[in-house]
Amino acid sequence: MNNKMKLEILSKSENESFARVVVSAFATQLDPTIEEITDIKTAVSEAVTNSIIHGYNKDDEIIHILCEIIDNEIIVEVIDYGMGIENIEQAREPLYTSKPHLERSGMGFTVMESFMDSVTINSVPGVETKVVMKKSIKSIKSY
Ligand SMILES: Nc1ncnc2c1ncn2[C@@H]1O[C@H](COP(=O)(O)OP(=O)(O)O)[C@@H](O)[C@H]1O
Ligand SMILES: [Mg+2]
């Protein structure tokens, strides 16, 4: 199967749940299990929340979410045009957060990595930050 969609949202906290519902609805074409859908929702939530809180830290900026299905794999890209990540290796470390005062857990990237097959981070500070997550859907139709 092959399909694509692109979503543009504003960086408002209420749009985080909207984004994860849209991506999971798109993913249902692959006939995922409930668990696989939950994994995708959780990962998308973390990435979009990061764009809202860390990328922009203000409302009404643009976040793009690109989804592509190639065979049994879903690829989700979350892109913002905010402040960016200077040290990607450090950002990926479990428990690292640049905003401890907001009671952030620093586990966002760790969660994305554990629920998806792969997570790639690309960032040009002040220009663009792109998180690409991939997951193969293994479920087989039971009818
Ligand atoms: N879209 C982004 N733009 C800028 N910085 C980011 C972005 N996503 C993540 N970061 C940086 O990476 C760090 C780690 O992210 P994460 O693991 O989700 O932890 P948390 O969000 O709890 O801080 C953040 O504290 C932030 O400094
Ligand atoms: Mg986070």
Side-chain angles (χ1 to χ4, degrees):
M1 181 185 314
N2 281 283
N3 206 348
K4 267 188 185 191
M5 73 97 175
K6 181 174 173 178
L7 180 67
E8 182 173 299
I9 57 169
L10 294 180
S11 55
K12 298 177 189 296
S13 57
E14 56 265 42
N15 285 341
E16 176 261 306
S17 59
F18 175 74
R20 88 181 149 192
V21 168
V22 172
V23 173
S24 62
F26 184 75
T28 58
Q29 297 167 74
L30 287 173
D31 200 25
T33 61
I34 303 272
E35 193 187 350
E36 286 166 335
I37 279 287
T38 305
D39 292 352
I40 293 167
K41 274 188 182 168
T42 306
V44 169
S45 280
E46 292 293 339
V48 172
T49 301
N50 279 352
S51 290
I52 294 171
I53 291 174
H54 301 298
Y56 293 123
N57 199 22
K58 61 176 164 149
D59 283 3
D60 301 336
E61 302 291 335
I62 299 285
I63 298 170
H64 284 132
I65 299 160
L66 276 57
C67 289
E68 186 164 8
I69 288 171
I70 302 173
D71 299 328
N72 71 328
E73 185 174 64
I74 181 159
I75 302 155
V76 184
E77 301 188 8
V78 177
I79 306 155
D80 69 64
Y81 310 91
M83 72 171 233
I85 306 173
E86 296 278 356
N87 187 337
I88 290 171
E89 206 182 319
Q90 180 184 52
R92 293 185 93 114
E93 276 171 24
L95 302 175
Y96 172 79
T97 179
S98 54
K99 295 196 169 174
H101 50 284
L102 287 183
E103 295 183 33
R104 307 294 309 157
S105 67
M107 292 301 285
F109 283 126
T110 307
V111 166
M112 290 179 236
E113 281 164 8
S114 67
F115 289 120
M116 303 295 278
D117 296 341
S118 73
V119 178
T120 310
I121 306 165
N122 285 295
S123 186
V124 180
V127 180
E128 184 184 285
T129 297
K130 186 194 285 193
V131 175
V132 182
M133 302 181 283
K134 298 183 181 179
K135 189 177 183 70
S136 286
I137 301 302
K138 292 171 185 82
S139 62
I140 296 159
K141 282 194 171 78
S142 56
Y143 55 85

